[in-house]
Amino acid sequence: MTTRTTFLGLGAMGSALAVAALDAGRPTVGWNRTPHRAQVLGERGATVADTVEDAVAGDGVIVACLYDHESVHQVLDPVVARLSGRTLINLTTTTPNQARELAAWAAEHGIDYLDGAIMAVPAMIGGPGSALFYSGSTSVFDEHRALLDLWGESSYFGTDAGLASLQDLAMLAGMYAMFAGFLHGAAMVDSVGVPATEFASRQAPFLAAMTGSFAHVAAIIDAKDYAGEGQQSLEFTQAALDSILQASIDQGVSVEVLRPVRDLVRRQIAAGFGKQGSDRIFEELRNTR
Amino acid sequence: MTTRTTFLGLGAMGSALAVAALDAGRPTVGWNRTPHRAQVLGERGATVADTVEDAVAGDGVIVACLYDHESVHQVLDPVVARLSGRTLINLTTTTPNQARELAAWAAEHGIDYLDGAIMAVPAMIGGPGSALFYSGSTSVFDEHRALLDLWGESSYFGTDAGLASLQDLAMLAGMYAMFAGFLHGAAMVDSVGVPATEFASRQAPFLAAMTGSFAHVAAIIDAKDYAGEGQQSLEFTQAALDSILQASIDQGVSVEVLRPVRDLVRRQIAAGFGKQGSDRIFEELRNTR
């Protein structure tokens, strides 16, 4: 018989996770702080639990998808005595250190803990392009792989429970910076009346093509080979960024997004590396250790 | 007979442009401040000019690819009397306002002026993926289209001579922000010993896929439809960016690149738009008008 799965937290994402389990024919229990979302799930065949205590009674794996780190404690601390020996898969969005804190709390109470981060929006769950990152208990990842794979492509990063969140946030860091840069460029051409849609039609294929050089950049970083041949120098990059900043100012566009990038380059030049490759700003970003 | 083309400035990019003209069988004249690069071009069949005055004597179109805006004046001001009635295509990297200044200077001296910006590295000139942006004289663009198309895909943006540079710098703004974000993400996972090459293998396809949403984002911006359904709210984005910043600090990574993006979001929330879509930070970037 398939293991019963209890879902704590039925917001848009929690509901999507629970529906995927239901659709796969799994015995499913749902609880939510406000009962409406649980009733909707109940109509699709889930057992609705009125309290967290009811929800975690009995056996089976517990999946948490709550508002934040603090709400995980608020929901689970009162029933922690019932969780000893159980399995908890926590898909609540947390920082790496918050995931590590929850893993330590779980270990203290005899709970087998797997932390997860979801690289998808609710509508993507169970469909193409959905990816989930996991870290923490290896045995939970291995034993419940069939459940995890219902939601998207599953990747496991190691026993440090913070790793899934860290990998997720690192991916999002790149994404938010890219979108900010795209909006900066769109603001520049907006100053002469060019629609953002027209700019997007050029910017999207250009940036997509440029991601093709990430592997080369990464190889330079891993080898610390910033003095090698054929790299765009920090001095060249500073001149290009200075032109972008000056043009932005001239056109009435804020330079908040790109000035810090120019300043990273400038500091590396001041440190004597002007002729070396621009990817050396990686060292500046890691320099707060 | 094909028009003679004079190239002023034979650095890596100027030489690539001149070689493309030579390879197409065009009569080519080359001048460079230091003579070695001109000699190399001479060995490939170009006429080598020892002085700028010799280079611009006679007829034909003049192509400038010099160090910067100031060097265009240094090279051309002494011979400006010879340039009246001639055609100048300036591919020197400038800001939009510098291009506009040169266009005004050219008009004053009876020179037909086309400004260009090159979206390629020298090795790409004449090959696939090379794109050049132009603005200024429509007639120069139309009459010399065969020459321009030797270098890459030619796009014309309008009579305002600053537009090619503006479009170029706007594209590069997105690119530099994307690379800075990628390096930030790589620094985050480097803190737990993950190689940049491993991170790049996930980040590159993820960001390439995300460029697919630029058209949708742009449509929201053009319609100022930030209150429409289904958008990621500024409040949600702030929480995500706060998690990225906290995780970066915890892992010893500088937050210089992403803190300004979070601050843009925060200011839009403070202005009362927290429930609206995150693309609204575009308005914050344009708010310096």
Side-chain angles (χ1 to χ4, degrees), chain A residues 107-124:
Chain A
E108 194 184 316
H109 294 95
I111 305 163
D112 212 0
Y113 183 85
L114 184 68
D115 200 88
I118 306 172
M119 302 288 299
V121 295
M124 289 167 66

Side-chain angles (χ1 to χ4, degrees), chain B residues 16 22 30 53 65 112 119 140 162 195 224 227 241-242 269 289:
Chain B
L22 273 174
E53 193 143 52
C65 188
D112 212 1
M119 302 288 300
V140 173
K224 308 281 181 218
L241 286 165
D242 280 341
I269 293 172
R289 279 176 291 193

Side-chain angles (χ1 to χ4, degrees), chain A residues 97 100 167 174 176 179 190 196-197 202-203 213 221-222 232 250-252 254 256 267 285-286 288, chain B residues 97 100 167 174 176 179 183 190 196-197 202-203 213 221-222 232 250-252 254 256 267 285-286 288:
Chain A
N97 277 357
R100 288 163 183 149
Q167 293 274 0
Y176 284 113
F179 275 97
D190 176 69
T197 40
R202 280 187 297 275
Q203 177 86 133
S213 65
I221 290 169
D222 287 340
Q232 180 171 318
D250 291 343
Q251 301 293 134
S254 164
E256 278 172 279
R267 287 211 306 277
L285 292 168
R286 287 294 287 130
T288 62
Chain B
N97 278 357
R100 289 164 182 148
Q167 293 274 0
Y176 283 114
F179 275 97
L183 295 178
D190 177 68
T197 40
R202 279 188 296 274
Q203 177 87 132
S213 64
I221 289 170
D222 286 340
Q232 179 171 318
D250 291 343
Q251 301 293 134
S254 164
E256 278 172 277
R267 287 211 307 276
L285 292 168
R286 287 293 288 130
T288 62

Side-chain angles (χ1 to χ4, degrees), chain B residues 24-238:
Chain B
R26 290 174 168 257
T28 300
V29 180
W31 171 86
N32 196 54
R33 184 177 300 275
T34 54
H36 173 68
R37 302 300 290 255
Q39 285 159 10
V40 170
L41 201 68
E43 286 159 17
R44 296 188 69 149
T47 303
V48 177
D50 292 333
T51 66
V52 178
E53 193 143 52
D54 287 351
V56 302
D59 57 5
V61 61
I62 300 162
V63 177
C65 188
L66 296 159
Y67 182 68
D68 60 9
H69 170 253
E70 194 184 341
S71 48
V72 176
H73 276 300
Q74 284 171 350
V75 167
L76 291 180
D77 280 350
V79 297
V80 73
R82 304 292 300 266
L83 302 180
S84 182
R86 302 283 296 277
T87 292
L88 174 61
I89 301 171
N90 181 32
L91 296 165
T92 306
T93 302
T94 65
T95 66
N97 278 357
Q98 288 170 340
R100 289 164 182 148
E101 187 280 329
L102 286 167
W105 164 89
E108 194 183 315
H109 294 94
I111 304 163
D112 212 1
Y113 182 86
L114 183 69
D115 199 89
I118 305 171
M119 302 288 300
V121 295
M124 289 167 66
I125 293 299
S130 174
L132 288 89
F133 294 169
Y134 297 98
S135 56
S137 168
T138 312
S139 60
V140 173
F141 182 77
D142 290 340
E143 285 168 28
H144 298 282
R145 188 65 191 269
L147 172 67
L148 309 183
D149 287 351
L150 292 176
W151 300 325
E153 193 190 338
S154 312
S155 300
Y156 178 77
F157 287 100
T159 54
D160 169 0
L163 295 178
S165 164
L166 184 62
Q167 293 274 0
D168 174 48
L169 294 175
M171 294 282 276
L172 295 179
M175 185 192 78
Y176 283 114
M178 179 180 78
F179 275 97
F182 165 57
L183 295 178
H184 181 104
M188 288 178 76
V189 298
D190 177 68
S191 70
V192 292
V194 175
T197 40
E198 186 189 318
F199 180 66
S201 71
R202 279 188 296 274
Q203 177 87 132
F206 177 63
L207 293 193
M210 283 290 160
T211 63
S213 64
F214 284 7
H216 179 65
V217 169
I220 288 169
I221 289 170
D222 286 340
K224 308 281 181 218
D225 180 33
Y226 307 114
E229 287 295 305
Q231 298 178 43
Q232 179 171 318
S233 73
L234 283 156
E235 284 174 356
F236 184 97
T237 299
Q238 178 177 246

